[in-house]
Amino acid sequence: MPELPEVEIVKQGLLKSLPKDEIQEVQTFRKDLRFPLPLKELAQLKNHSIKTISRRGKFLILETTSRHFISHLGMTGHWRFESTYSPLKHDHIRIQWNSQNLIYNDPRRFGYILNYEIDLFKNFGPDPILDILEAKNFYPRYKKSETNIKTFLLNQKNILGIGNIYASEILFKAKIKPLKKVRQLKLQDWESILVETKLVLNKAITLGGSSMRDYKNVEGDKGDMQNHWLVYGKQSIPCSVCKTAIKNITISNRSSYFCSQCQK
DNA sequence: ATCTGACCCTGTCTGC
DNA sequence: TGCAGACAGGGTCAGA
């Protein structure tokens, strides 16, 4: 499910219904998700409140009057509000207020909750929505990189927030083939990639994100971006620009979609 | 430095 | 209808 746009939609949904009053209790239903849960610190949220929730890349940051936590949704993690709690399979955390509950559910448990560390983002790249992306910062720095641009975009150390779907969409719009070596990119290519990164992600946010299978946001609504994908999942379907059949290849064990005619 | 494949898990879909 | 296998948006890691 969640790449940057989906996480942004989740954040907005959480902020809309977030109670301002004190937390009555935090229940945890298991010791770990992808990583061990900070059980002690979560329990200490009792009588504290959540000040706000922010986002950086695919991370949510829960800022409380006690301490800060980060929430990563992995593949299938999601948060939901319920005024009366109805337990569901794969519920792992329940934050309880007087008249509201916030529940974290994650079937595959690839997501995680951790104590926020101040230098967490030190080793990560810029966020395309929160930060300024400039070609002049990428072009000289990665002039010798032997990796391909698709793999590069997925690496959160380079740029935050791009996942498998939007990497294909961004490269299609930028007219760059996914297997192109990063060292072969010209300044102009970087400009296209970074501009399209911002455009594609912003469009996805405007449309409420992409919904595959049963993904829904905090309020239970589906996004609409999946109806605007130009290449992702479009194998053998004519390219929207030139009518050449869209190809699907595996790069770093993940499927990539592109137009061999439009993308060079 | 980069790539490959295995692994972390469960749910869903397809084909036999 | 049942079952095996493939596959899925997130990631890390060891070994080549």
Side-chain angles (χ1 to χ4, degrees):
Chain A
M1 176 263 287
E3 303 183 28
L4 187 152
E6 291 75 34
V7 178
E8 174 65 22
I9 298 300
V10 168
K11 183 202 80 180
Q12 292 174 9
L14 288 170
L15 285 177
K16 209 182 286 182
S17 307
L18 192 65
K20 290 290 170 210
D21 54 325
E22 286 184 6
I23 292 166
Q24 301 297 302
E25 197 181 346
V26 177
Q27 278 181 281
T28 42
F29 303 120
R30 56 179 303 126
K31 289 198 188 83
D32 52 46
L33 295 171
R34 182 182 177 84
F35 303 118
L37 287 168
L39 298 172
K40 193 181 76 185
E41 290 83 355
L42 285 170
Q44 286 167 352
L45 281 179
K46 184 173 179 171
N47 299 331
H48 283 274
S49 59
I50 300 179
K51 285 188 290 184
T52 191
I53 297 174
S54 55
R55 178 199 61 75
R56 184 156 190 83
K58 301 171 191 172
F59 295 95
L60 290 167
I61 305 160
L62 280 65
E63 304 181 18
T64 83
T65 52
S66 164
R67 60 166 66 236
H68 297 179
F69 297 88
I70 58 158
S71 160
H72 193 294
L73 302 173
M75 296 267 259
T76 52
H78 59 271
W79 291 95
R80 73 176 192 278
F81 282 110
E82 280 184 354
S83 48
T84 307
Y85 177 49
S86 315
L88 291 179
K89 198 176 178 183
H90 308 303
D91 282 352
H92 305 308
I93 297 172
R94 173 190 177 196
I95 302 173
Q96 195 182 334
W97 288 268
N98 259 334
S99 51
Q100 186 67 288
N101 296 275
L102 178 58
I103 304 108
Y104 181 72
N105 182 290
D106 188 351
R108 285 176 78 176
R109 308 204 300 271
F110 283 0
Y112 51 88
I113 311 270
L114 295 175
N115 290 318
Y116 176 78
E117 304 292 341
I118 198 76
D119 56 356
L120 171 72
F121 294 108
K122 202 175 63 181
N123 295 320
F124 288 113
D127 180 291
I129 305 298
L130 303 173
D131 303 324
I132 295 166
L133 297 188
E134 288 194 285
K136 65 179 187 197
N137 294 338
F138 285 82
Y139 175 63
R141 189 170 171 190
Y142 299 108
K143 237 175 178 172
K144 290 180 180 170
S145 175
E146 282 296 324
T147 195
N148 62 72
I149 184 61
K150 166 76 188 308
T151 304
F152 180 93
L153 290 179
L154 288 183
N155 188 339
Q156 306 295 298
K157 290 182 172 128
N158 301 323
I159 303 181
L160 278 171
I162 300 172
N164 204 38
I165 293 176
Y166 296 117
S168 282
E169 295 296 315
I170 288 163
L171 289 173
F172 174 73
K173 292 293 286 182
K175 299 183 167 36
I176 309 276
K177 63 180 179 193
L179 281 171
K180 182 138 186 167
K181 296 279 189 192
V182 168
R183 64 171 161 76
Q184 294 176 309
L185 295 172
K186 300 182 176 71
L187 183 64
Q188 199 183 333
D189 296 327
W190 278 113
E191 276 162 8
S192 304
I193 291 167
L194 298 176
V195 165
E196 294 301 342
T197 294
K198 282 181 264 195
L199 287 174
V200 168
L201 297 180
N202 271 316
K203 180 179 179 184
I205 292 170
T206 305
L207 291 170
S210 297
S211 293
M212 277 180 75
R213 301 170 191 274
D214 58 352
Y215 163 70
K216 289 174 187 149
N217 65 17
V218 174
E219 279 118 1
D221 304 318
K222 292 193 171 195
D224 198 38
M225 183 65 187
Q226 68 279 6
N227 299 318
H228 297 258
W229 291 342
L230 298 174
V231 288
Y232 186 83
K234 304 283 185 190
Q235 184 179 7
S236 306
I237 288 171
C239 167
S240 55
V241 174
C242 75
K243 308 302 174 201
T244 302
I246 298 298
K247 287 191 177 164
N248 175 20
I249 57 171
T250 298
I251 303 174
S252 302
N253 265 339
R254 298 210 124 94
S255 56
S256 301
Y257 298 86
F258 70 107
C259 172
S260 57
Q261 188 66 31
C262 293
Q263 293 172 253
K264 299 294 182 191

